[in-house]
Amino acid sequence: MSAQKPITTDARAPGGAESPPGEAPPGATGSGSGAGEGLQAGLKNRHLSMIAIGGVIGAGLFVGSGAGIAAAGPAILLSYALVGALVVLVMRMLGEMAAADPVSGSFSSYADRALGRWAGFTIGWLYWFFWVVVLAVEATAGAAILTGWVPAVPQWAWALIVMVVLTATNLFSVGSYGEFEFWFAGIKVVAIAVFIVVGGLAVFGLLPGGSGGAVGTANLTGHGGFLPNGPGAVLTGVLMVVFSFMGSEIVTLAAAESANPRKAVARATNSVIWRIAVFYLGSIAIVVTLLPWNSPEVKASPYVAVLDHIGIAHAGQLMDVIVLTAVLSCLNSGLYTASRMAFSLGGRGDAPKSFSRTTGRGVPATAILASVVFGFVAVFFNYAYPDTVFQFLLNSSGAVALFVWLVICFSQLRMRRVLERESPERLTVKMWAYPYLTWVTIGMIVFVVGYMFTDPDGRQQMVLSLFAAAVVLGVALVREVRRKRTEKDLARR
């Protein structure tokens, strides 16, 4: 990989001052010291394409969607459409900033520049915290499936094996991460595509060997109607599905390690609408059209229920393979994402400097190992204290997605003005109807945050997440006060 160009860490003006995107201000951080020369552009176009497509397909879609359907009935389609529209708008804003200035820290770096160092520090560490907790969740989920296949190996051992293998993959090179993710995401995409095609044929009575004609709208309008639990259930469904969309933003971090990041970001941003429409709305529409929303099988595992209904043999085992692939994909991406955010924080002086050091292959090994160590600790808590310590970790990171989206919105409001004034040629991707749609998006996110307080589970998540955010913000503000005091002391000398 010696021919690949090195990528430096994020540039930032001292004190969080605005600086033209792509232009390193005085005192900007370089690529860090160490054996390497910074991150390497080791991701190919096919890697980024599949990361972008697969980033919106998580294990939550295959497994967790049943609870949303049970809560809202067929109207869960409205819940997914509302959240999908929100994600499309947020990704458009993030795409605008990332296409203008692709950096490893993505939205954390933009918040640092647009809102201040406290914002970049806070959202960067919260995002890192979110993904290292996800590592524990996904490692445990994957281990449970593997233990079912090979009971002789204990579940904790499978969790350890999975974590070690994917850590080694990420430590080797960014290209190996991209290659693993290409195949993991490819399996998910093919699985969903086949599900939609086969399910669509069954809906219209065109499936070879099928026993009946077209299904029609009986399951959409029967069993209590399209809104069997009332309009409020749509908002309840929003709370249940909103966090399954976390991961769409990963492509903007990964693009910084590609040969043509601006083109990759633009392509990913432009395709987010059809990705959400096809994979989420398309597949869920198949489920609620083919089967009654209130059947126990749909609540337990909607995709298995559909496969059983249309006569696919060994549907449960087949879905286990697909879910395991989704879990491994999420683990792989989670470790990559956490490490790159730690790398960016290290390069900006908001984390230990060693986090920004890279190996000869352009891998931030210390940032990867620090992330995976916390992930191992969280796995231990998941086994030892699932209802206390781990539940606290889970709930205190639960609303981070909403915080990230809010920060992206406010960063874009300010960065857009800077770009238009200083580097208008970099605006190759533009947010629609700026600034009106940006403010509409902020209003939508604030509404979801407020509505979470009306839901018992949502309230607990939001309170603990706000507590975690307040702690990190407090640290950021203390650091800022100390930094300014140090600068004053140096100026006096």
Side-chain angles (χ1 to χ4, degrees):
M1 297 177 64
S2 58
Q4 293 162 344
K5 63 180 182 181
I7 299 170
T8 60
T9 54
D10 317 292
R12 178 189 59 208
E18 297 172 357
S19 59
E23 181 179 314
T29 307
S31 58
S33 58
E37 298 179 336
L39 300 178
Q40 300 292 317
L43 292 176
K44 300 175 182 177
N45 286 336
R46 64 183 178 88
H47 294 153
L48 286 170
S49 297
M50 202 55 74
I51 289 170
I53 296 172
V56 297
I57 307 174
L61 175 62
F62 298 110
V63 180
S65 54
I69 294 171
I76 193 66
L77 289 170
L78 298 180
S79 304
Y80 274 106
L82 286 172
V83 179
L86 181 61
V87 172
V88 167
L89 294 173
V90 170
M91 280 297 295
R92 187 72 184 185
M93 285 181 261
L94 181 56
E96 176 183 287
M97 295 183 289
D101 185 24
V103 290
S104 62
S106 188
F107 53 84
S108 173
S109 177
Y110 307 138
D112 193 308
R113 230 175 289 176
L115 306 177
R117 292 187 65 170
W118 62 270
F121 179 97
T122 304
I123 205 63
W125 277 113
L126 285 174
Y127 191 70
W128 178 87
F129 175 55
F130 171 86
W131 280 109
V132 292
V133 172
V134 166
L135 292 182
V137 174
E138 301 297 341
T140 304
I145 295 173
L146 290 167
T147 302
W149 294 347
V150 188
V153 179
Q155 189 168 328
W156 67 265
W158 277 122
L160 179 64
I161 291 169
V162 167
M163 291 279 277
V164 167
V165 169
L166 291 180
T167 301
T169 299
N170 277 265
L171 283 172
F172 185 73
S173 71
V174 68
S176 61
Y177 154 73
E179 199 63 34
F180 267 67
E181 192 56 26
F182 175 81
W183 292 106
F184 287 153
I187 292 172
K188 292 189 296 183
V189 170
V190 169
I192 286 288
V194 171
F195 178 87
I196 291 173
V197 170
V198 174
L201 291 174
V203 166
F204 292 103
L206 302 175
L207 190 66
S211 56
V215 175
T217 61
N219 290 321
L220 291 173
T221 57
H223 312 285
F226 186 74
L227 290 162
N229 297 323
V234 174
L235 295 177
T236 301
V238 165
L239 299 186
M240 301 182 80
V241 306
V242 67
F243 305 113
S244 65
F245 283 85
M246 192 69 162
S248 303
E249 72 291 335
I250 291 175
V251 68
T252 63
L253 282 89
E257 293 180 76
S258 68
N260 194 340
R262 288 184 174 84
K263 183 177 179 181
V265 167
R267 184 184 298 140
T269 303
N270 291 332
S271 66
V272 70
I273 297 176
W274 71 260
R275 286 186 275 133
I276 289 173
V278 171
F279 296 128
Y280 276 94
L281 290 174
S283 62
I284 295 297
I286 294 295
V287 173
V288 295
T289 303
L290 270 182
L291 299 172
W293 68 270
N294 53 358
S295 66
E297 294 81 8
V298 169
K299 183 177 181 180
S301 184
Y303 290 82
V304 171
V306 168
L307 295 177
D308 280 334
H309 175 75
I310 59 183
I312 303 297
H314 308 292
Q317 293 88 332
L318 179 63
M319 190 53 60
D320 273 348
V321 173
I322 296 170
V323 171
L324 178 62
T325 303
V327 164
L328 294 177
S329 172
C330 191
L331 256 174
N332 194 38
S333 289
L335 183 52
Y336 170 84
T337 306
S339 66
R340 269 33 178 202
M341 186 57 71
F343 169 84
S344 175
L345 289 166
R348 287 181 271 144
D350 291 335
K353 187 69 176 177
S354 59
F355 284 13
S356 67
R357 294 173 185 156
T358 57
T359 66
R361 291 180 177 271
V363 173
T366 304
I368 291 173
L369 292 173
S371 301
V372 82
V373 163
F374 194 95
F376 276 122
V377 171
V379 170
F380 168 75
F381 286 143
N382 198 1
Y383 285 113
Y385 311 104
D387 299 322
T388 52
V389 178
F390 186 73
Q391 193 62 37
F392 173 81
L393 293 176
L394 202 60
N395 285 330
S396 59
S397 65
V400 167
L402 296 173
F403 300 161
V404 167
W405 295 346
L406 268 179
V407 166
I408 289 171
C409 292
F410 283 111
S411 297
Q412 188 265 343
L413 277 175
R414 194 170 187 192
M415 288 288 286
R416 174 66 172 266
R417 292 197 297 269
V418 177
L419 285 164
E420 287 179 335
R421 184 175 67 247
E422 300 179 359
S423 307
E425 72 281 358
R426 293 183 179 272
L427 281 170
T428 55
V429 175
K430 290 185 178 182
M431 174 59 182
W432 307 296
Y434 169 84
Y436 308 108
L437 267 183
T438 301
W439 282 111
V440 168
T441 308
I442 291 171
M444 292 169 65
I445 298 171
V446 170
F447 176 79
V448 173
V449 169
Y451 192 78
M452 284 186 73
F453 284 102
T454 68
D455 179 81
D457 293 332
R459 187 185 309 120
Q460 184 182 31
Q461 274 198 5
M462 183 54 67
V463 169
L464 290 178
S465 295
L466 285 172
F467 170 76
V471 170
V472 179
L473 177 59
V475 173
L477 294 177
V478 168
R479 283 170 53 89
E480 186 71 2
V481 169
R482 288 180 176 177
R483 184 188 61 79
K484 289 182 178 179
R485 187 177 300 164
T486 301
E487 287 179 354
K488 286 182 180 179
D489 292 341
L490 291 173
R492 287 172 186 168
R493 294 176 188 176

